[in-house]
Amino acid sequence: MKKHSQYYIVVISLFLGICAPTLWTEGMFMDGLYYASIARNLSEGLGSFWSLHLTNCSFPVFNEHPPFAIWLQSLIFYCAGDNIYVERIYSLSTFLFTGFIIHLIWKEIINKEFKSLSWIPLFFWVIIPLNSWSCSNNILENTMNIFVALAVLFSLKSLKKSKLRNILFSGIFLGLAFLSKGFTGLFPLSIFFWHFIVYREIKIKEVVLNSSYLLFCLTSPFMLLFFIYPDASETIHEYINNQVVRSIEDIRTVDNRFYIIKKTFLELLPGLIICLIALYFSFRKNIKNSYNEKKSILFFLLLALSGVIPIMLSMKQSGFYIVTTLPFFSIAMGILIAPYIHLLTNKPKIKLHVFSVSIFIVSILFSIKQIGKITR
């Protein structure tokens, strides 16, 4: 870790540099303004956890989304007061937390010789234009990102240590992900199935048992919650009617169901180009991924796609819906080029610096191109 500390500093600085032009200026995506206003109202005693309040006229009760992410942000307003930088600091903090969890997931799944290279998936993650846009615009997916990543982390831990408490934690974090934005955060429920398909290290019986236990740990707190707080049941019911049912039946924001696939590809394009560059030099030097690394790449790709493809069921699609899948695409790309980077870090520094400069230039060109766009 110490050997690669400069690269972590570069990655963090790069992300802050990309975000800076929009993160600290006035103005924000309309939804982000709504969430910040509701959180501020809640911190001042207007509304409650299960009855969020926006305005007296249009939204006396805001039930378009579950309340947990907004409630968390209200705590920051309560402590720091009413300031335009509160929601920005909160939004940036969610990305710093998520980045640390990506680092932990990397150490959980990667071979020993590559453990110090967690800056590679972090690099791929921060150069995705959608992440800098999301950080600057205070969307609910930012908070959900933390809990989705934690759910995946503890599910992976359960596969190594076979401890039910890890699945319990995973289920709890999935519940918090749902309470932050809804169903788009539940795709890690498929993690044991994909692990069975890719690795074949567990039996189908274990897949069913682990998945059932994970689902139980996710749903049982909600059953208890609905029994204790009837308002909770009403709020979730309104959210499902307004956002889920209507988005399938009535609301149309795109002309093609494959929009979300195209959007995902475009967001990953800077990283994919860097991967192609790395693979070209890898083939020249006869550097190959091991069989286990190839499996890990496929596993994280399938996990990420399980969060993207269900969005196609609805014609209501926005680019930022995929934010919670991006860490896993980034991990897959990181595993792909880790052997080559590992070789470079054990070579004279000039070679690594040449590679670093080339990928820096490519990533900045693509980031600048999209940083000013509003992602929909």
Side-chain angles (χ1 to χ4, degrees):
M1 178 74 161
K2 188 176 180 180
K3 178 181 177 182
H4 296 268
S5 58
Q6 68 269 29
Y7 301 113
Y8 292 96
I9 295 172
V10 168
V11 167
I12 294 173
S13 300
L14 177 61
F15 183 65
L16 294 176
I18 294 173
C19 289
T22 52
L23 180 61
W24 307 113
T25 56
E26 293 187 18
M28 189 182 290
F29 181 49
M30 182 178 66
D31 288 11
L33 287 173
Y34 281 165
Y35 306 144
S37 298
I38 297 168
R40 184 191 59 199
N41 289 342
L42 190 57
S43 71
E44 296 176 351
L46 298 175
S48 64
F49 185 90
W50 295 112
S51 183
L52 299 174
H53 176 83
L54 178 55
T55 66
N56 290 327
C57 299
S58 55
F59 287 102
V61 177
F62 181 88
N63 47 30
E64 298 294 308
H65 298 293
F68 189 69
I70 295 174
W71 176 77
L72 282 179
Q73 191 170 144
S74 75
L75 299 180
I76 309 299
F77 275 104
Y78 182 80
C79 296
D82 185 5
N83 190 292
I84 65 168
Y85 296 112
V86 171
E87 60 264 28
R88 289 162 171 79
I89 292 171
Y90 173 82
S91 191
L92 177 60
S93 298
T94 62
F95 274 85
L96 296 178
F97 274 117
T98 303
F100 180 67
I101 300 166
I102 293 172
H103 163 77
L104 295 179
I105 292 174
W106 179 268
K107 287 187 170 295
E108 191 70 28
I109 55 92
I110 202 67
N111 293 337
K112 184 178 180 180
E113 65 268 29
F114 302 144
K115 284 187 182 293
S116 62
L117 299 177
S118 61
W119 60 270
I120 301 176
L122 289 172
F123 172 81
F124 281 121
W125 185 59
V126 303
I127 66 170
I128 297 173
L130 180 58
N131 280 326
S132 56
W133 180 90
S134 301
C135 183
S136 301
N137 285 282
N138 193 40
I139 60 174
L140 298 180
E141 280 79 2
N142 299 349
T143 303
M144 186 167 68
N145 227 354
I146 297 174
F147 301 121
V148 169
L150 282 171
V152 170
L153 173 63
F154 280 96
S155 291
L156 292 172
K157 285 181 176 292
S158 74
L159 288 164
K160 278 191 174 182
K161 300 180 180 179
S162 299
K163 291 185 177 179
L164 292 179
R165 71 179 181 184
N166 286 322
I167 300 181
L168 171 63
F169 287 138
S170 181
I172 291 172
F173 287 126
L174 277 182
L176 295 178
F178 176 82
L179 282 176
S180 297
K181 182 63 190 286
F183 288 101
T184 53
L186 297 184
F187 66 91
L189 283 170
S190 65
I191 191 168
F192 297 116
F193 172 75
W194 295 126
H195 194 275
F196 167 75
I197 292 295
V198 174
Y199 293 101
R200 299 287 179 173
E201 293 176 356
I202 58 176
K203 298 178 181 179
I204 189 65
K205 179 181 177 181
E206 294 178 82
V207 174
V208 174
L209 286 175
N210 287 345
S211 298
S212 298
Y213 187 57
L214 179 59
L215 184 61
F216 174 78
C217 293
L218 165 65
T219 57
S220 56
F222 282 95
M223 295 178 185
L224 181 62
L225 188 66
F226 294 161
F227 179 76
I228 298 175
Y229 296 104
D231 288 347
S233 177
E234 182 178 346
T235 297
I236 298 302
H237 182 264
E238 287 297 319
Y239 152 71
I240 292 174
N241 279 338
N242 291 335
Q243 289 293 327
V244 181
V245 176
R246 286 184 59 210
S247 68
I248 295 175
E249 295 179 348
D250 304 321
I251 304 176
R252 183 186 183 97
T253 60
V254 293
D255 297 324
N256 192 316
R257 290 188 185 274
F258 290 94
Y259 163 82
I260 203 69
I261 301 295
K262 177 183 176 182
K263 180 64 180 176
T264 302
F265 174 77
L266 291 176
E267 292 296 331
L268 298 176
L269 189 56
L272 293 174
I273 291 177
I274 292 170
C275 284
L276 289 174
I277 296 172
L279 286 175
Y280 169 74
F281 288 107
S282 295
F283 288 140
R284 287 188 61 183
K285 294 181 178 294
N286 198 29
I287 304 170
K288 298 179 181 179
N289 290 88
S290 69
Y291 185 61
N292 187 61
E293 288 158 5
K294 291 176 181 177
K295 284 186 173 182
S296 296
I297 294 168
L298 178 60
F299 170 74
F300 281 102
L301 283 177
L302 290 172
L303 178 63
L305 286 171
S306 69
V308 173
I309 293 175
I311 298 173
M312 295 167 56
L313 295 175
S314 170
M315 291 298 285
K316 181 189 177 185
Q317 299 180 18
S318 293
F320 55 82
Y321 288 178
I322 63 172
V323 164
T324 52
T325 68
L326 299 179
F328 311 113
F329 283 118
S330 302
I331 291 172
M333 290 189 288
I335 298 171
L336 181 64
I337 72 166
Y340 181 62
I341 299 298
H342 177 68
L343 177 67
L344 286 180
T345 55
N346 291 290
K347 292 283 186 177
K349 287 186 178 181
I350 184 64
K351 292 188 177 182
L352 182 58
H353 288 170
V354 170
F355 181 76
S356 300
V357 169
S358 66
I359 60 177
F360 179 80
I361 291 173
V362 171
S363 62
I364 286 297
L365 287 174
F366 279 91
S367 297
I368 289 175
K369 182 180 178 181
Q370 297 203 26
I371 189 64
K373 295 181 181 180
I374 292 192
T375 307
R376 288 184 180 272

